[in-house]
Amino acid sequence: MHRQYLHSLQSTNTGFLDDALQNNMLPATFKLCAGISYRHASTMTGLRKTAMVAINHELSRFSGPGPSSWINRVRRRSSLLSSRIEEKIMSEMDMSYIKQGEEALHKSISILSDQDGWHTETVAANGDKVLSKVLPDIGKVFKLEVLLDQRPDNLYGELVDNMEQMGEWNPNVKQIKILQRIGQDTMVTHEMAAETPGNVVGPRDFVSVRCAKRRGSTCFLAGMSTHYAGMPEQKGFVRAENGPTCIVMRPSAEDPSKTKFTWLLSIDLKGWIPKTIINRVLSQTQVDFAQHLRQRMAAGDGTETAQAC
């Protein structure tokens, strides 16, 4: 058996160096070195010489102008690989936020897919309407349905990419701050809502996880309340809860340059507020939002698309 192995090594010795030099076969050369470490092959001077010449050639090719440049190249590539692996590693909490965002999206799609049981809350003169229904495990939810003279990608750019600017054009929002981004689709936000006229409902704030996704030509921005250690309850604000909530933007079937805009809203404002007041405030908030969004887009501030949808 040893004699057969030695004969195999001898037969591969001739021509191996040429193949190694022509095909950059440094890994194969190292295998050859492993082979000559076999004690019965260690006396084959020609085989050892072949391996050493091949290795020296490879190292010389890497070395370039300086003897250590090939080492630097390996280090750079190793550093790049390490950074890419690090980007993919997420903490348990990050994964939890992603899961919550996707859960909010799935629940919202399920609610909106069921067309039964919706009742009209209000219809504006321009056709904007708010519907509502009561769900056993959630409570009362509201649905805004409007047609906007904008493409979905323009609206997506304003509502997602320019999210923190919403307080500039929506008087019902004092401030939105992105606390953390997780991956490409998920973020944790803090929203401070303004008090209603007459202070019927005082200032509220929300900490939410939001999930922005695209399915075909349809864009989604879903969310639900979450806990974020870096944002405790704020003085002067009641910490309310929301979710599942979701904005759905899809091209109109009649005119693709327009958007069928749907907003599912589910909020627990907390505090002792009569349901009749809550119903009126939330439905009016949705109608007002549609009007403010139209004005914002018409002014041209949101027509540049930061991210095509």
Side-chain angles (χ1 to χ4, degrees), residues 249-284:
M249 297 165 282
R250 59 167 59 93
S252 169
E254 292 77 19
D255 185 351
S257 66
K258 298 182 179 181
T259 298
K260 183 179 180 183
F261 187 98
T262 304
W263 177 18
L264 176 70
L265 178 63
S266 171
I267 285 185
D268 181 358
L269 292 174
K270 302 298 184 179
W272 299 95
I273 306 174
K275 289 184 178 181
T276 54
I277 294 180
I278 292 176
N279 295 344
R280 176 165 53 84
V281 167
L282 294 182
S283 59
Q284 188 60 48

Side-chain angles (χ1 to χ4, degrees), residues 138-153:
I138 297 176
K140 193 164 189 175
V141 297
F142 297 83
K143 178 175 66 171
L144 171 72
E145 292 183 344
V146 302
L147 184 66
L148 299 176
D149 294 331
Q150 294 285 338
R151 294 183 181 275
D153 55 354

Side-chain angles (χ1 to χ4, degrees), residues 81-113:
L81 178 61
S82 298
S83 63
R84 288 178 178 174
I85 293 175
E86 187 176 348
E87 287 175 0
K88 295 181 180 180
I89 298 177
M90 292 190 179
S91 69
E92 225 176 274
M93 183 60 70
D94 290 344
M95 294 302 297
S96 173
Y97 287 137
I98 292 175
K99 184 177 180 181
Q100 291 174 48
E102 292 179 346
E103 180 185 350
L105 178 60
H106 295 155
K107 281 187 176 181
S108 298
I109 292 175
S110 176
I111 294 170
L112 293 173
S113 298

Side-chain angles (χ1 to χ4, degrees), residues 121 185 191 282:
E121 289 283 337
D185 305 325
E191 176 181 339
L282 294 182

Side-chain angles (χ1 to χ4, degrees), residues 16-179:
F16 179 87
L17 178 57
D18 292 337
D19 290 340
L21 298 182
Q22 293 174 8
N23 300 312
N24 298 328
M25 295 175 61
L26 184 58
T29 305
F30 284 134
K31 290 182 180 179
L32 181 60
C33 291
I36 67 173
S37 67
Y38 189 70
R39 65 187 182 89
H40 291 282
S42 62
T43 59
M44 297 176 61
T45 307
L47 193 60
R48 294 201 306 271
K49 182 178 180 180
T50 298
M52 292 308 299
V53 170
I55 291 176
N56 285 331
H57 172 80
E58 286 296 314
L59 296 183
S60 298
R61 185 176 66 82
F62 277 125
S63 64
S68 62
S69 63
W70 72 278
I71 297 177
N72 292 333
R73 187 183 305 179
V74 171
R75 285 174 177 170
R76 286 197 300 270
R77 291 182 179 178
S78 176
S79 177
L80 179 60
L81 178 61
S82 298
S83 63
R84 288 178 178 174
I85 293 175
E86 187 176 348
E87 287 175 0
K88 295 181 180 180
I89 298 177
M90 292 190 179
S91 69
E92 225 176 274
M93 183 60 70
D94 290 344
M95 294 302 297
S96 173
Y97 287 137
I98 292 175
K99 184 177 180 181
Q100 291 174 48
E102 292 179 346
E103 180 185 350
L105 178 60
H106 295 155
K107 281 187 176 181
S108 298
I109 292 175
S110 176
I111 294 170
L112 293 173
S113 298
D114 185 1
Q115 300 299 320
D116 297 331
W118 293 96
H119 304 283
T120 301
E121 289 283 337
T122 182
V123 179
N126 61 359
D128 294 355
K129 61 181 177 181
V130 177
L131 308 172
S132 68
K133 71 187 301 184
V134 178
L135 301 176
D137 55 336
I138 297 176
K140 193 164 189 175
V141 297
F142 297 83
K143 178 175 66 171
L144 171 72
E145 292 183 344
V146 302
L147 184 66
L148 299 176
D149 294 331
Q150 294 285 338
R151 294 183 181 275
D153 55 354
N154 292 343
L155 294 167
Y156 185 92
E158 184 61 48
L159 297 177
V160 178
D161 299 326
N162 299 333
M163 181 182 296
E164 292 186 318
Q165 299 176 19
M166 187 178 293
E168 298 175 5
W169 54 269
N170 185 355
N172 292 322
V173 175
K174 282 189 173 182
Q175 176 183 302
I176 294 183
K177 182 176 178 59
I178 297 174
L179 303 176

